[in-house]
Amino acid sequence: MRERADVVLIGGGFAGAATAYFLAQRGVRDVAIVEREAVCGYHASGRNAALGRQLVEDDQVTELTVRGAAFLRHPPPEFSDAPLLSASGSVLVCATAGDQHALMDRARGHGIPAEPISMDNLFSRWPRLRGMPGHGAVFFPTDGVIDVHALLQGYLAAARAGGAAVTTGCEVTAIGDGPEGARVDTSLGPIDARVVAICAGAWADEVATRAGVPARSLTPIHRHLFVSQPAADLDREAPFVWHLGDELYVRPEGAGYLMSSCDETVAPPGDAQVMPGAREHLAAKLCRVAPAFGDLGIARAWACLRTFAPDGRPVIGPDDRRPWLHWVAGLGGHGATASAAVGELAAAGIYEQLSLCRRRPTLPGSAP
């Protein structure tokens, strides 16, 4: 546990880990990641569906996911021993011809390879999808499934190699002005820092109140994920399929399929648990959208929290009420795919903020 650092990152999930990695790339070595849980990535970063989807609802967010996916496809040498993104691709199923044309137009605008396909073509390629309603679909060959654990550990390992310290089991209790900018009080003792970044996922607004700044109205959304029992006809190389008209996605996972009904329930920050009725909700949606999956039993289930800002876009940048405070929050379920772009953007802002902090006069008796 360091007593001081140039930068303290509160949260060791994708937001904090990627920011630490890109700070190390900029030569900022005196970085401390403070994580409340016993391991980094315990919540959203470790429980998500690992879908590397580039074309999302918002064009600004899509810019981040496209840049992040490029990093996943071609990470730096020695970043990870395992590929970070599979080559499976993705299929987005559209309810109308207009929706399909709009997807193709947006894909071209963002430079994302895309191929329109008919429903008959879709069923001939992946027979288990027969019965899925829709006008047509778009295949994105450069999407895929992310190895989220390899990605997170790659960021953390490279950050440590660059000088960062990672402390787990350490909760932030208060943040205020300090001799070098900020003082972060934690359950393991105080840390003096020049810049503090809130990378705390569903807890970001709570951390903000401990820093004495207004919350950003970030909303944690509870969602369930299920893995089926083994499927005899499983195609391990099949793309993940997302039905946009009646939100549902499926993808191969182990010997079965990972499935989500894309349920959304506003929930307080916490250790997300499977809620009563979640399986029935999935079964009802499978009957409507993917009936051929309805005969698969459920082997396991879990839940996670995704955190959204009011406009659905990540909150990345300095706080105008505290010269030493920075935000890296509200990634809205795109944290894995967009992590490299988010971390690079946040690190650039923190680097500039750190330079300004270094030029400010320090208090008498404090370190220069």
Side-chain angles (χ1 to χ4, degrees):
M1 182 71 179
R2 292 182 177 175
E3 295 182 355
R4 72 157 309 281
D6 280 341
V7 181
V8 171
L9 305 173
I10 302 173
F14 280 125
T19 300
Y21 170 79
F22 282 100
L23 284 170
Q25 301 306 298
R26 287 178 169 269
V28 181
R29 300 183 59 83
D30 195 2
V31 175
I33 297 176
V34 176
E35 168 57 50
R36 186 182 69 171
E37 303 297 343
V39 294
C40 291
Y42 176 77
H43 293 287
S45 295
R47 303 189 196 183
N48 63 78
L51 304 183
R53 176 181 165 185
Q54 296 170 90
L55 190 66
V56 297
E57 293 79 5
D58 184 89
D59 283 329
Q60 290 189 25
V61 179
T62 296
E63 292 176 6
L64 297 176
T65 53
V66 169
R67 287 168 49 197
F71 179 94
L72 297 175
R73 289 192 298 271
H74 305 290
E78 301 179 0
F79 182 89
S80 173
D81 293 334
L84 298 179
L85 186 71
S86 74
S88 65
S90 74
V91 171
L92 303 186
V93 179
C94 308
T96 69
D99 293 339
Q100 188 181 33
H101 293 319
L103 279 186
M104 288 298 301
D105 288 342
R106 292 186 60 226
R108 282 189 286 267
H110 288 284
I112 304 172
E115 171 196 347
I117 54 178
S118 67
M119 296 303 288
D120 287 341
N121 191 348
L122 180 65
F123 299 153
S124 66
R125 293 192 194 187
W126 301 289
R128 187 172 271 274
L129 298 176
R130 290 189 183 280
M132 181 172 283
H135 167 82
V138 178
F139 175 58
F140 297 88
T142 56
D143 283 354
V145 177
I146 305 167
D147 187 334
V148 292
H149 301 292
L151 178 61
L152 182 63
Q153 293 308 315
Y155 286 138
L156 292 171
R160 287 189 180 100
V166 181
T167 303
T168 56
C170 180
E171 183 168 7
V172 171
T173 56
I175 313 169
D177 293 328
E180 298 189 41
R183 170 157 289 178
V184 182
D185 292 320
T186 80
S187 56
L188 298 180
I191 313 173
D192 289 321
R194 296 185 184 274
V195 175
V196 176
I198 300 175
C199 312
W203 287 264
D205 271 351
E206 285 191 9
V207 173
T209 61
R210 295 171 194 176
V213 300
R216 293 294 186 96
S217 299
L218 298 174
T219 303
I221 302 294
H222 188 283
R223 172 167 289 181
H224 291 92
L225 298 99
F226 301 86
V227 174
S228 77
Q229 293 176 346
D233 63 345
L234 179 72
D235 178 1
R236 298 180 188 275
E237 306 301 320
F240 70 81
V241 178
W242 194 312
H243 194 283
L244 299 179
D246 195 348
E247 298 287 321
L248 177 139
Y249 59 75
V250 297
R251 70 163 176 85
E253 170 68 14
Y257 290 96
L258 182 146
M259 303 176 286
S260 176
S261 62
C262 299
D263 56 310
E264 296 186 341
T265 304
V266 175
D271 190 356
Q273 301 296 315
V274 175
M275 299 171 65
R279 293 177 184 237
E280 291 76 11
H281 185 271
L282 173 68
K285 188 166 281 194
L286 286 174
C287 286
R288 296 196 308 271
V289 183
F293 290 84
D295 62 344
L296 297 175
I298 300 300
R300 59 190 177 98
W302 69 95
C304 68
L305 295 178
R306 303 167 306 128
T307 305
F308 292 82
D311 63 1
R313 296 170 179 169
V315 179
I316 306 170
D319 190 288
D320 56 10
R321 291 145 297 192
R322 297 288 187 274
W324 39 260
L325 189 62
H326 207 91
W327 288 80
V328 193
L331 304 190
H334 306 297
T337 308
S339 59
V342 168
E344 189 172 27
L345 182 61
I350 291 171
Y351 186 83
E352 181 178 352
Q353 201 170 0
L354 186 60
S355 299
L356 293 173
C357 291
R358 283 172 171 156
R359 290 197 291 270
R360 288 200 302 266
T362 54
L363 298 178
S366 65

